[in-house]
Amino acid sequence: GRDTYLVGDSNGNVYDYRFGQTTFLWKVTIGAGVFGPPSQSPDLSRANHLITLVPAGSAVALIDDHIGAGSTRVCNMAAGGTITSQPGFENPPAGSTAYFPDYAFFGDAGGRLSVYDATTNGSCVREASASGLGGAVVAGPLVLSGTQTITENQNQEGDGQQETTTTTVEMFAIVNGVGSSALVQYEYREVKDGSGDPARSLKFIDSQPLPANASGVAYSSTTPDVRNRIQLAVTSGSGRVTLATITAVNGRNGASGLTYTMSIGSTAKLGGSFGRAPYWCHPAQCGQDLIGAGNQNGTLYVMDTNLKVQLQYDGAAAINSTPAVDANGD
């Protein structure tokens, strides 16, 4: 019900601003420097409450943004190292509801992925984590709805049926190791059989190599669809831009929903060094899919989805930010 943006600073202050205004709607101090982008999503269990996730040193601060009533810090959700990438929420297919709409997903510099219950009036419980990713998480996770399977089993007394529901989401993140980078895929799974708390797990699925020293990612879409692949443009400190693809297929063996595979495509070597994520401009903005990336050699590159340079601007100073597009698509 409003257009705002979130920003945090190295002193641990988080602000919410309306576009075009310089007076903030609210300010919350979270106690640790903010070195990654915040994210926000409605809390579907509480009307007019927004789940606000802010990287706060080696934790993610959960802020309850109560529309019209101010905001409060609920807790800090601990990680295994400093967080510089944006925390994620589950992205369902168009017209569908997320399986875990109030969960927070994030990765850290210690090579750990974490899943937390982030309801704005909850207890900030860690649901699952996975370590040993091989390096720091520098981008993602992108979280996509997976599958749901319902099975009927004989109960222990043998006098009736017991229903078991298995629900999954899949997480994709970019990891920087020593002299290497990779796109990794993990699956978060909950199994409910009506006998108590669900069984939860976060397990490794796949890893695909990328040019070393990845610096960021931009997505062609964050909405899974079997008809349209999700493409990822990944920049690196070696002056390369690489395309990767996530492909969705319908669930198998009685499972509803989607499963995913990923692959690495072409790479363009443009020289210099990319220190920040690229920007993906969609046809509604630019008339076609275009990828913009700013280089520390001072050049802004604009490429098509084959990574062929369409335009470039040779500036006089290093570009240390992600480019963006204005209302006219420029």
Side-chain angles (χ1 to χ4, degrees):
R2 64 185 190 191
D3 275 335
T4 69
Y5 66 91
L6 296 161
V7 61
D9 64 30
S10 59
N11 292 322
N13 299 307
V14 184
Y15 304 86
D16 189 40
Y17 288 92
R18 292 186 186 275
F19 286 98
Q21 296 186 11
T22 57
T23 301
F24 54 79
L25 278 173
W26 54 257
K27 170 187 173 183
V28 173
T29 300
I30 58 176
V34 180
F35 298 104
S39 53
Q40 193 174 70
S41 181
D43 187 339
L44 298 186
S45 66
R46 305 181 74 199
N48 296 321
H49 289 261
L50 302 175
I51 301 169
T52 307
L53 307 177
V54 185
S58 57
V60 169
L62 170 60
I63 296 174
D64 175 14
D65 181 359
H66 187 183
I67 296 176
S71 58
T72 55
R73 185 181 71 84
V74 178
C75 68
N76 279 12
M77 298 177 284
T82 303
I83 299 169
T84 60
S85 61
Q86 187 175 35
F89 294 98
E90 180 187 345
N91 295 277
S96 300
T97 302
Y99 297 132
F100 307 112
D102 300 334
Y103 279 17
F105 303 83
F106 53 88
D108 59 55
R112 178 192 291 176
L113 290 173
S114 298
V115 183
Y116 274 83
D117 182 346
T119 49
T120 55
N121 64 344
S123 56
C124 299
V125 174
R126 177 188 286 148
E127 305 293 7
S129 65
S131 56
L133 272 68
V137 176
V138 296
L142 172 65
V143 185
L144 305 176
S145 295
T147 60
Q148 191 166 75
T149 307
I150 300 175
T151 57
E152 298 286 347
N153 304 302
Q154 196 76 19
N155 64 22
Q156 292 182 352
E157 290 74 21
D159 58 359
Q161 295 290 320
Q162 179 174 282
E163 187 175 270
T164 299
T165 302
T166 302
T167 308
T168 70
V169 296
E170 298 195 29
M171 304 166 62
F172 299 85
I174 294 173
V175 174
N176 277 351
V178 178
S180 65
S181 295
L183 174 63
V184 300
Q185 179 181 1
Y186 279 72
E187 178 194 79
Y188 175 69
R189 176 183 294 252
E190 283 194 6
V191 181
K192 298 180 180 180
D193 61 8
S195 61
D197 288 338
R200 302 176 174 91
S201 62
L202 184 57
K203 69 174 185 177
F204 171 79
I205 299 296
D206 193 12
S207 178
Q208 295 289 330
L210 292 166
N213 194 20
S215 52
V217 63
Y219 308 107
S220 64
S221 172
T222 57
T223 302
D225 187 337
V226 294
R227 297 163 298 179
N228 297 298
R229 300 173 300 167
I230 295 176
Q231 289 187 288
L232 294 73
V234 183
T235 46
S236 73
S238 59
R240 292 171 168 84
V241 180
T242 300
L243 288 178
T245 300
I246 298 171
T247 302
V249 297
N250 288 315
R252 302 183 180 92
N253 301 322
S256 61
L258 302 172
T259 60
Y260 304 90
T261 58
M262 62 182 188
S263 60
I264 306 300
S266 57
T267 294
K269 184 176 181 180
L270 299 174
S273 176
F274 293 102
R276 295 287 182 176
Y279 180 89
W280 197 294
C281 189
H282 301 98
Q285 298 170 292
C286 295
Q288 60 179 310
D289 285 297
L290 293 172
I291 302 162
N295 199 295
Q296 292 179 336
N297 65 11
T299 303
L300 170 64
Y301 296 97
V302 179
M303 295 158 280
D304 61 19
T305 54
N306 294 314
L307 299 184
K308 181 179 179 181
V309 175
Q310 303 296 301
L311 300 164
Q312 69 182 62
Y313 167 77
D314 299 316
I319 301 174
N320 292 302
S321 61
T322 297
V325 171
D326 68 14
N328 296 318
D330 296 326

